[in-house]
């Protein structure tokens, strides 16, 4: 069932709800919308009331803000939590993982937090994009250059080689990614890949946290996930064998892990 709810600044969010039980909200990352987490939602719906939503500026959700701000996305998550009764457990993938942790750090009423491969920079010595990636992304979006925004994000924020990006542009999935280009500045603002992760703030998270990564993922994603587990008091760390960042395409094993943690 799809419902439209209103965030603090008047932005309309498209929210889907399925299943019965304690509420669990699923939050996707860059290039994700409700459809991307639908498979995981279906796996969890037998045990929980599963809630998915389009983050602002994507598909069924608009964006009424005058400029990009992390606080807007935190307000959106707060609105979804309020919609499901005022408290919920949350799961986030990639930049969505950073967003749900940000919500926990800002005191949103969450019971348990599970994250898959938050793209934090765990080491100041590891390569990272320049801070002006946000301004350049925003300028490309403002100019209507969605292809350029996707290329910039993939190359500098994710680290995809230019020759691989050229092949991706010829594939069927490029249009899906380009459609999400206006929301990419939110992904880089939330994740802030040009700076080291907020260790001090994460150490203040007071709810149970589960950090998960796949053993075939990029080394920086594995390190960021391990750093979350080592920093949040009492956090659990789980490694999924044979899995990489595209875990949402194969959600069954992840659903088993989340069912145990949220249950």
């Amino acid at each position: 069932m799809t419902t439209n709810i209103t965030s603090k600044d008047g932005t309309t969010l498209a929210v889907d709800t399925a299943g019965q039980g304690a509420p669990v909200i699923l939050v996707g990352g860059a290039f994700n919308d409700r459809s991307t987490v639908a498979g995981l939602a279906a796996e969890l719906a037998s045990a929980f009331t599963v809630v998915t939503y389009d983050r602002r500026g994507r598909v069924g959700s608009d964006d009424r803000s005058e400029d990009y701000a992390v606080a807007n996305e935190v307000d959106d998550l707060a609105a979804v939590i309020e919609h499901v009764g005022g408290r919920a457990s949350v799961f986030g993938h990639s930049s969505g993982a950073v967003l749900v942790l940000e919500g926990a750090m800002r005191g949103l009423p969450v019971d348990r937090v599970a994250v898959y491969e938050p793209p934090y920079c765990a080491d100041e010595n590891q390569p990272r994009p320049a801070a002006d990636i946000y301004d350049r992304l925003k300028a490309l979006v403002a100019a209507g250059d969605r292809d350029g925004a996707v290329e910039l994000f993939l190359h500098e924020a994710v680290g995809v080689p230019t020759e691989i990006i050229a092949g991706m542009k010829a594939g069927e999935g490029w249009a899906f990614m380009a459609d999400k280009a206006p929301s990419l500045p939110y992904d880089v603002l939330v994740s802030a890949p040009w700076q080291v992760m907020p260790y001090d703030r994460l150490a203040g998270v007071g709810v149970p946290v589960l950090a998960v990564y796949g053993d075939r993922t990029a080394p920086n994603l594995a390190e960021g996930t391990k750093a979350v587990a080592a920093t949040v008091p009492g956090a659990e760390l789980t490694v999924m064998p044979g899995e990489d960042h595209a875990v949402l395409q194969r959600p069954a094993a992840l659903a088993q892990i989340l069912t145990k943690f949220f249950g």
Side-chain angles (χ1 to χ4, degrees):
M1 180 179 67
T2 301
T3 304
N4 289 327
I5 67 171
T6 303
S7 190
K8 184 177 180 179
D9 68 352
T11 291
T12 299
L13 305 172
V15 180
D16 282 353
T17 305
Q20 292 183 329
V24 172
I25 299 170
L26 309 182
V27 185
F31 305 118
N32 287 183
D33 57 24
R34 287 172 294 157
S35 71
T36 319
V37 293
L40 179 59
E43 294 280 350
L44 295 171
S46 61
F48 306 100
T49 297
V50 187
V51 183
T52 61
Y53 70 102
D54 288 331
R55 289 169 59 186
R56 64 171 54 211
R58 311 182 191 204
V59 192
S61 298
D62 58 23
D63 187 0
R64 305 290 177 87
S65 60
E66 295 183 358
D67 202 1
Y68 295 92
V70 174
N72 293 333
E73 288 231 85
V74 175
D75 287 341
D76 295 346
L77 180 55
V80 178
I81 294 171
E82 181 63 26
H83 172 67
V84 299
R87 295 199 68 86
S89 293
V90 291
F91 165 79
H93 176 269
S94 197
S95 70
V98 179
L99 177 56
V100 299
L101 285 168
E102 186 66 32
M105 289 186 280
R106 296 191 187 206
L108 293 190
V110 295
D111 293 322
R112 302 175 80 82
V113 177
V115 295
Y116 190 89
E117 298 186 0
Y120 279 130
C121 173
D123 181 357
E124 64 181 9
N125 295 314
Q126 80 180 45
R128 43 196 162 136
D132 71 349
I133 185 176
Y134 166 68
D135 291 324
R136 287 183 287 138
L137 264 178
K138 194 167 71 165
L140 288 168
V141 170
D145 186 359
R146 296 191 175 197
D147 287 348
V150 173
E151 290 181 54
L152 173 60
F153 183 87
L154 289 174
H155 184 55
E156 296 192 25
V158 183
V160 181
T162 53
E163 60 272 20
I164 301 296
I165 294 174
M168 293 172 67
K169 289 184 72 173
E172 294 180 357
W174 188 263
F176 183 89
M177 291 192 294
D179 179 64
K180 312 301 180 297
S183 61
L184 291 176
Y186 280 116
D187 292 296
V188 295
L189 270 187
V190 167
S191 302
W194 56 84
Q195 64 188 28
V196 176
M197 61 191 289
Y199 285 99
D200 290 347
R201 296 179 64 225
L202 283 165
V205 172
V207 298
V209 170
L210 170 67
V212 187
Y213 72 94
D215 65 2
R216 293 187 179 181
T217 199
N220 63 307
L221 293 172
E223 292 306 311
T225 308
K226 288 187 282 187
V228 168
T231 304
V232 176
E236 303 175 39
L237 179 67
T238 295
V239 184
M240 294 186 66
E243 203 46 88
D244 58 20
H245 201 56
V247 68
L248 294 178
Q249 298 176 12
R250 303 167 293 274
L254 177 60
Q256 292 180 359
I257 293 169
L258 295 180
T259 298
K260 180 179 178 181
F261 177 68
F262 289 137

